[in-house]
C-alpha cells in the first residue's frame, strides 16, 4: 500500500497529558496524580457529551471545565487565576522521548497533526515543543466544530490532506480515536502506550505499537 499522509493525534500520542502532574502536585499537595487522571478522563467525556448533545464548546473551554470538576472532586478549590495557570501548563506539555527522532526520520513525507485541540491550545503547544517545523500542517477539529471521533472530523482532515482515505496512516494513543479513524476508512496504527486491551467495537487497528518508533515500519 502507498501511504501519502501520516496523520498524528496530539494529546497522549505526541504529548504526555500527565506531564502537568508535577505542577498540580505543587498547587494541590498529595492530590496531583488524582486530579491529573480525572482531568483527562473528564476532558474526553465532556467533548464526547457535547458532540452527542449538539452543545459544542471549544477545547480550551472543555479543558477548563474538566479541570474545575477534577479539582472539586478532589475536595480542593481553585480561583480563576489558578485555573488559568494550569491551562497555561497544558500549553507546555512535554512530548514523549521518541517523538522528535521519529519525526526527523520521516522528513520529506506529509506529516500532519490532527487534534480536537483548539488553535489557541495547539499553536502555543507546538511552538513551545519545538516540533512545529517538523510537520507539514496542523489541523484543529475546532475549525468545523466537530470533535473526533465524528466522521465529519476525519472527513475534514482528509480534505485538508488532499489524498485518498486509503493513502492515510492515522496514529493515536487513544483507542476511541483509532476506532473512529478505522471506521472512517483510514489505515490505523494504535500507539498503545499504556498496554491497554483493544476496544470492543469490532474495529481492529492495522497495527499496534508501544510507541511511535513502530510506525517506521511503514
Amino acid at each position: 500500500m502507498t501511504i501519502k499522509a501520516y496523520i498524528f493525534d496530539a494529546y497522549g500520542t505526541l504529548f504526555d497529558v500527565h506531564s502537568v502532574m508535577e505542577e498540580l502536585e505543587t498547587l494541590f499537595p498529595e492530590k496531583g496524580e488524582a486530579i491529573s487522571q480525572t482531568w483527562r478522563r473528564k476532558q474526553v467525556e465532556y467533548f464526547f457529551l457535547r458532540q452527542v448533545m449538539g452543545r459544542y464548546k471549544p477545547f480550551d473551554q472543555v479543558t477548563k471545565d474538566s479541570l474545575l470538576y477534577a479539582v472539586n472532586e478532589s475536595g480542593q478549590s481553585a480561583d480563576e487565576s489558578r485555573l488559568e495557570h494550569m491551562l497555561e501548563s497544558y500549553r507546555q506539555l512535554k512530548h514523549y522521548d521518541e517523538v522528535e527522532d521519529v519525526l526527523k526520520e520521516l522528513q520529506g513525507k506529509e506529516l500532519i497533526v490532527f487534534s480536537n485541540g483548539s488553535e489557541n491550545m495547539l499553536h502555543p503547544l507546538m511552538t513551545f515543543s519545538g516540533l512545529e517545523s517538523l510537520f507539514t500542517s496542523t489541523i484543529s477539529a475546532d475549525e468545523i466544530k466537530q470533535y473526533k471521533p465524528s466522521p465529519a472530523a476525519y472527513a475534514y482532515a482528509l480534505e485538508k490532506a488532499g489524498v485518498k482515505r486509503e493513502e492515510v496512516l492515522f496514529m493515536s494513543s487513544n483507542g476511541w480515536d483509532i476506532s473512529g479513524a478505522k471506521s472512517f476508512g483510514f489505515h490505523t496504527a494504535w500507539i498503545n502506550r499504556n498496554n491497554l486491551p483493544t476496544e470492543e467495537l469490532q474495529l481492529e487497528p492495522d497495527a499496534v505499537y508501544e510507541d511511535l518508533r513502530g510506525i517506521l515500519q511503514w
Side-chain angles (χ1 to χ4, degrees):
M1 66 187 72
T2 300
I3 300 299
K4 294 185 177 179
Y6 294 75
I7 302 182
F8 298 78
D9 171 56
Y11 297 105
T13 305
L14 299 173
F15 300 98
D16 181 3
V17 296
H18 297 298
S19 60
V20 296
M21 200 178 298
E22 185 176 339
E23 186 71 21
L24 285 168
E25 188 64 29
T26 300
L27 293 172
F28 307 103
E30 300 183 5
K31 301 287 186 178
E33 182 177 1
I35 292 174
S36 182
Q37 294 292 338
T38 300
W39 188 3
R40 175 57 174 171
R41 176 172 55 84
K42 296 303 288 189
Q43 181 190 57
V44 173
E45 185 179 314
Y46 281 178
F47 65 64
F48 271 39
L49 286 169
R50 287 194 171 280
Q51 181 71 33
V52 171
M53 294 188 297
R55 299 179 67 87
Y56 183 87
K57 292 287 184 183
F59 190 81
D60 59 326
Q61 184 63 54
V62 169
T63 301
K64 184 176 181 179
D65 291 343
S66 54
L67 171 60
L68 182 58
Y69 176 94
V71 170
N72 289 338
E73 184 188 65
S74 71
Q76 305 297 300
S77 61
D79 58 21
E80 189 67 19
S81 64
R82 186 169 285 194
L83 291 174
E84 289 299 329
H85 176 77
M86 288 313 308
L87 284 177
E88 190 59 32
S89 296
Y90 221 84
R91 296 181 176 96
Q92 299 178 4
L93 296 173
K94 296 177 182 177
H95 60 74
Y96 288 99
D97 291 341
E98 84 283 3
V99 169
E100 187 170 0
D101 288 342
V102 170
L103 293 174
K104 285 179 177 177
E105 287 204 44
L106 290 171
Q107 289 306 288
K109 304 182 184 300
E110 186 169 11
L111 307 181
I112 299 169
V113 176
F114 177 43
S115 173
N116 280 340
S118 46
E119 195 276 339
N120 64 354
M121 298 287 286
L122 276 178
H123 179 67
L125 177 61
M126 295 299 294
T127 301
F128 177 80
S129 70
L131 299 178
E132 191 169 29
S133 64
L134 298 175
F135 287 96
T136 310
S137 61
T138 299
I139 303 170
S140 169
D142 186 54
E143 294 166 23
I144 58 163
K145 307 294 187 287
Q146 291 286 320
Y147 282 124
K148 296 183 293 176
S150 165
Y154 300 107
Y156 180 71
L158 181 64
E159 178 187 348
K160 298 284 280 187
V163 298
K164 298 176 182 177
R165 65 184 71 192
E166 62 269 20
E167 295 173 333
V168 169
L169 177 63
F170 181 84
M171 291 145 285
S172 179
S173 65
N174 302 296
W176 53 266
D177 201 6
I178 288 294
S179 297
K182 182 69 174 180
S183 179
F184 182 73
F186 288 161
H187 296 295
T188 55
W190 182 26
I191 312 306
N192 188 6
R193 296 190 182 277
N194 298 311
N195 195 29
L196 296 173
T198 304
E199 300 291 349
E200 295 296 337
L201 293 169
Q202 296 75 56
L203 292 164
E204 297 284 327
D206 292 288
V208 181
Y209 305 115
E210 64 181 15
D211 62 37
L212 282 168
R213 284 184 286 258
I215 69 168
L216 297 176
Q217 297 175 11
W218 293 72

